[in-house]
Amino acid sequence: MDNKPTFPATKPQTLGILGAGVWGRTLGQLVSQNGHRVEYWSRSGDRSLEEVVTGANILLSAVSMKGVASVLSQVKAIGLGTDTIIVTATKGLDPQTTCTAAQLWQRAFRDRPVVVLAGPNLSKEIQQGLPAATVVASNDESAASLVQEVFSSSNFRVYTNPDPLGVELGGTLKNVMAIASGVCDGLQLGTNAKAALLTRGLTEIIRIGTHWGAQMETFYGLSGLGDLLATCNSPLSRNYQVGYQLAQGKTLAEILPDLEGTAEGVNTTQVLIQRAKTLEISVPISYQVHQLLEGQITPKDAVEALMLRDIKPE
Ligand SMILES: NC(=O)c1ccc[n+]([C@@H]2O[C@H](COP(=O)([O-])OP(=O)(O)OC[C@H]3O[C@@H](n4cnc5c(N)ncnc54)[C@H](O)[C@@H]3O)[C@@H](O)[C@H]2O)c1
Ligand SMILES: O=P(O)(O)OC[C@H](O)CO
């Protein structure tokens, strides 16, 4: 007997995708292939935000972090249908509040389900139809299940998770480590150094994330360890590219204009350091990335500073 599931498992839905950048378009491609209707809104497009928002029963934001506060206040002014599910695929931190994107959406729409979508998802591979897996996390189990059904296909395996904060922080904080990892490869520090960086990087992510209120085990899943491995090992990652080029001696001002899309880790590092200082959380790797991005130290100085810290138990 053939036990293979058939996709799509749910009746056609209408998705409004806010932010028609690389990731918004890739996610739109996945759901269109599953037979769902997709309407895009972007600030430079010709569709009105009102049209896209009012027509959608699932509203997905793939706007980069710097645009989230402004876009959600425009959506708030328009209003959402009573059954609308909000999905956020942004991986960043808000400089004003240090909140994640989902926290901002949930504050603005307290009575609506908010679902976080995050995982090891390099868009170029997904666009090529290569297999990938992701996580949809929410406090609202039925909203997460519907979004799981909408996105699941033979190329894209979707898991639900009840810890949206942990899932979102895994995807967000690994961008800082991806910059460090690009530096590590750019300086040709070798496989031992890379393994040490990723392992201690995960420890740092867990220290921050659990202090924030996320569950430790979430960080060992796809959106934590999974996304850390993908992003820190792939030249397709824009954050990795930033680190790699810094190691080649380029400045941030020279690197950023030529990147395809947004490297959220640059902004995330700043916000993270602000939060870690206020809450007195030790983040040695993120601190060195911050100093490097600020132009205060060279990549070699950053490595030396990490290696020469006080010795301590693991
Ligand atoms: N590309 C990927 O592989 C990938 C995978 C997973 C998650 N993400 C996350 O998705 C988000 C978007 O990434 P991307 O690769 O699509 O970047 P991108 O730069 O290609 O797209 C960003 C989108 O946000 C919009 N935007 C930015 N500021 C805005 C503002 N003030 N008002 C309205 N719109 C604004 C841009 O117009 C654009 O449509 C990031 O948070 C990224 O970390 C990306
Ligand atoms: O290209 P990056 O560095 O933004 O990484 C993309 C995704 O977050 C990988 O999961």
Side-chain angles (χ1 to χ4, degrees):
M1 200 173 94
D2 187 359
N3 285 326
K4 279 186 196 159
T6 51
F7 298 108
T10 181
K11 68 178 171 48
Q13 309 285 319
T14 303
L15 280 91
I17 297 192
L18 310 182
V22 185
W23 190 222
R25 292 259 166 213
T26 306
L27 289 169
Q29 180 189 318
L30 285 172
V31 284
S32 300
Q33 284 163 354
N34 279 354
H36 302 289
R37 197 175 134 84
V38 179
E39 302 284 356
Y40 294 97
W41 173 83
S42 80
R43 55 190 166 163
S44 53
D46 47 15
R47 297 296 308 276
S48 86
L49 181 61
E50 183 162 10
E51 251 180 301
V52 172
V53 166
T54 51
N57 65 309
I58 298 177
L59 190 66
L60 186 152
S61 169
V63 171
S64 47
M65 193 67 222
K66 66 177 190 293
V68 171
S70 124
V71 169
L72 76 77
S73 71
Q74 294 171 63
V75 173
K76 186 130 179 95
I78 293 165
L80 283 182
T82 47
D83 295 332
T84 310
I85 295 172
I86 299 164
V87 182
T88 169
T90 305
K91 293 175 175 173
L93 297 175
D94 175 46
Q96 266 71 50
T97 59
T98 76
C99 284
T100 65
Q103 288 176 324
L104 293 186
W105 282 102
Q106 195 71 80
R107 273 187 192 182
F109 297 97
R110 291 193 184 277
D111 56 347
R112 297 293 190 293
V114 174
V115 179
V116 171
L117 186 153
N121 296 155
L122 296 156
S123 53
K124 282 235 162 78
E125 294 187 359
I126 294 172
Q127 284 162 12
Q128 289 165 30
L130 295 171
T134 204
V135 183
V136 290
S138 180
N139 297 321
D140 184 321
E141 207 178 314
S142 65
S145 294
L146 178 66
V147 176
Q148 179 185 40
E149 287 179 10
V150 164
F151 277 93
S152 291
S153 71
S154 53
N155 291 340
F156 200 59
R157 182 162 176 79
V158 185
Y159 293 84
T160 56
N161 183 302
D163 179 17
L165 181 62
V167 166
E168 199 175 23
L169 286 177
T172 296
L173 300 177
K174 62 78 191 167
N175 284 333
V176 180
M177 300 307 157
I179 296 175
S181 186
V183 172
C184 183
D185 286 355
L187 291 178
Q188 300 187 317
L189 300 183
T191 307
N192 294 335
K194 184 72 162 293
L197 174 66
L198 298 196
T199 310
R200 295 308 300 169
L202 183 60
T203 304
E204 197 164 309
I205 290 173
I206 291 173
R207 192 180 306 130
I208 304 155
T210 50
H211 189 280
W212 209 309
Q215 300 301 310
M216 185 198 280
E217 60 270 23
T218 307
F219 296 103
Y220 293 108
L222 282 170
S223 63
L225 179 60
D227 206 0
L228 186 70
L229 292 176
T231 316
C232 291
N233 286 313
S234 175
L236 290 176
S237 155
R238 287 81 47 92
N239 290 288
Y240 175 96
Q241 287 169 28
V242 168
Y244 195 90
Q245 292 185 52
L246 284 170
Q248 311 294 304
K250 282 197 183 178
T251 64
L252 209 48
E254 289 168 332
I255 298 166
L256 294 182
D258 291 337
L259 275 190
E260 196 187 334
T262 309
E264 291 279 19
V266 175
N267 169 62
T268 299
T269 305
Q270 271 203 342
V271 184
L272 171 61
I273 292 302
Q274 183 188 329
R275 194 177 164 99
K277 274 189 181 152
T278 310
L279 299 173
E280 296 184 1
I281 307 170
S282 165
V283 288
I285 302 171
S286 307
Y287 181 72
Q288 293 305 323
V289 172
H290 180 252
Q291 296 294 91
L292 181 59
L293 293 174
E294 293 286 304
Q296 303 288 332
I297 53 169
T298 66
K300 283 195 174 131
D301 294 336
V303 176
E304 195 175 290
L306 284 171
M307 294 304 284
L308 291 178
R309 283 177 311 129
D310 288 347
I311 49 177
K312 60 174 197 161
E314 189 178 21

